Amino acid sequence: MTRDFPRALELGGAGAFARLFARNDAARAKIGWLASADLSAAHLTGLSAPAFACDEEFLAIADQSLDLVVAPLSLHAVNDLPGALIQIRRALKPDGLFLGAMLGGASLTELRQCLLAAEVELTGGAGARVAPFADAMDLSGLLQRAGFALPVADIDRHAVTYAQPMKLLSDLRAMGETSAPAERPPRALTRAVLFKAMELYQSRFANADGRARATFEILYAVGWAPADSQPKPLRPGSAQTRLADALNATERSAGEKAGPGTSAREKD
Amino acid sequence: MTENSDAQGADADPANGARTEPDPKLLEILACPVTKGPLEYDRDAQELISKSARLAFPIRDGMPIMLPEEARELRDDEL
């Protein structure tokens, strides 16, 4: 597909896409102008591209002003995903493209299970320590509900292994992905629970070589802002050629036939 | 390489020349995050004004901060 995108926005990618873009001649030939938006202004300082601080749930973009929105690995952190998708669709010009990637599905399922089991065992209760993720089925439905045309959702599964499960936690912290749930459980995570969870992690989810595995699922979302130029299914009854003629077959009635004059649209 | 945080002060920044202004195209596409209404650029105050939401969004070092919780509420005489 050959398309140019005069105005593009990176949403929630901490400027990572803008930095790649600055070094990529092929991308620069396609994208005329790129701005970066992130919830954290600190993530965007030092960026040469135009940048602004913005919350995906309060998108500060005028309607129909962008040709492309790229959301690299950010929308899983949004509380109101349907609302964020609707605002993105509104910000796009007709036939504008949305490309999103987010953590989803069974991501961090091992960590979720171990924290839950350890907390129940040591304290008799448990709270959600790992934020809920959307799955691919949810996502395609959400894209459609948000008014995107030709929506596609896909999933990519990665297993990362760690010599120490604790290293996973420091990676998550470095990714800015710790304590993500909007409503934290009333009781803070204690060291005892954490160590118990890491012990369970190592015993339940270690590979044959002793390394603990962590599942990451990346959901990809593609959608277009509706436009008249896009392919659409034809209206029922609008065929110009008979299927029977194309197949060189004799058409046989199935018995039901609309009587003459019942057609609502009679031309000529 | 971007060590501009010395205490020498004010606008004399040999690396950038002028003081950092927001990108003109960025100002074209930005709208109020609360109402999606238009914004007015107040160059002297370095603020983006949304009269429909009665909010003024700060611009820090050329970067608009379009977060409702960081915005200043407009006084009646500013509307």
Side-chain angles (χ1 to χ4, degrees):
Chain A
M1 180 186 56
T2 309
R3 273 287 301 271
D4 288 332
F5 302 97
R7 290 187 185 191
L9 174 70
E10 172 191 18
L11 189 58
F17 183 76
R19 288 187 187 89
L20 285 172
F21 171 73
R23 297 199 304 264
N24 187 315
D25 292 337
R28 282 214 309 275
K30 289 272 165 210
I31 298 174
W33 177 88
L34 174 73
S36 284
D38 199 280
L39 187 55
S40 157
H43 281 153
L44 300 173
T45 45
L47 209 64
S48 56
F52 61 103
C54 184
D55 184 338
E56 289 95 339
E57 293 180 40
F58 292 91
L59 194 60
I61 298 289
D63 284 357
Q64 303 200 4
S65 55
L66 294 166
D67 303 282
L68 171 68
V69 172
V70 182
L73 223 47
S74 56
L75 287 177
H76 55 270
V78 166
N79 291 313
D80 177 16
L81 184 56
L85 290 173
I86 288 170
Q87 293 184 61
I88 291 170
R89 198 256 304 143
R90 281 181 56 180
L92 287 167
K93 291 178 192 168
D95 212 27
L97 175 63
F98 165 63
L99 296 173
M102 69 189 88
L103 288 178
S107 291
L108 299 176
T109 176
E110 303 88 352
L111 181 63
R112 190 193 302 269
Q113 293 173 41
C114 292
L115 283 171
L116 204 67
E119 199 168 2
V120 168
E121 189 180 322
L122 294 183
T123 69
R129 305 288 177 188
V130 180
F133 294 120
D135 70 29
M137 291 291 283
D138 298 338
L139 187 58
S140 49
L142 288 178
L143 285 167
Q144 218 151 15
R145 258 175 56 195
F148 282 102
L150 315 170
V152 178
D154 201 0
I155 191 159
D156 222 356
R157 186 169 297 185
H158 302 272
V160 184
T161 65
Y162 289 90
Q164 293 289 329
M166 203 60 136
K167 185 69 176 51
L168 166 66
L169 294 188
S170 56
D171 268 7
L172 291 175
R173 189 163 294 118
M175 288 158 68
E177 298 285 0
T178 43
S179 300
E183 288 186 25
R184 302 224 195 127
R187 275 175 304 189
L189 191 61
T190 61
R191 286 179 77 80
V193 169
L194 188 59
F195 284 127
K196 180 75 196 170
M198 294 298 108
E199 200 183 299
L200 288 174
Y201 203 124
Q202 188 68 50
S203 64
R204 288 188 191 178
F205 297 108
N207 289 339
D209 61 359
R211 292 177 68 87
R213 64 182 178 276
T215 300
F216 287 91
E217 284 187 353
I218 316 271
L219 300 187
Y220 294 97
V222 182
W224 298 82
D228 290 339
S229 58
Q230 288 162 351
K232 285 182 194 63
L234 295 171
R235 269 208 329 270
S238 60
Q240 301 290 313
T241 319
R242 300 171 71 88
L243 182 61
D245 294 343
L247 296 173
N248 225 349
T250 320
E251 190 174 356
R252 273 182 230 153
S253 168
E256 292 172 37
K257 208 163 198 174
T262 54
S263 167
R265 276 174 258 103
E266 275 187 29
K267 291 199 175 166
D268 302 11
Chain B
M1 289 295 282
T2 45
E3 284 280 287
N4 291 331
S5 55
D6 55 18
Q8 292 227 330
D11 295 335
D13 186 350
N16 288 331
R19 117 182 133 156
T20 38
E21 291 265 351
D23 184 276
K25 274 191 184 156
L26 186 56
L27 295 180
E28 278 175 34
I29 65 159
L30 285 181
C32 173
V34 181
T35 64
K36 298 280 193 280
L39 298 165
E40 287 166 36
Y41 175 37
D42 183 336
R43 197 160 184 265
D44 296 325
Q46 284 296 293
E47 282 180 334
L48 288 169
I49 313 285
S50 170
K51 286 195 171 157
S52 52
R54 299 177 67 107
L55 292 171
F57 297 90
I59 301 174
R60 299 186 189 130
D61 296 323
M63 190 190 297
I65 310 295
M66 305 309 295
L67 305 171
E69 60 271 25
E70 301 262 334
R72 176 178 70 83
E73 214 163 306
L74 294 178
R75 297 184 308 271
D76 283 344
D77 62 298
E78 289 179 296
L79 289 171

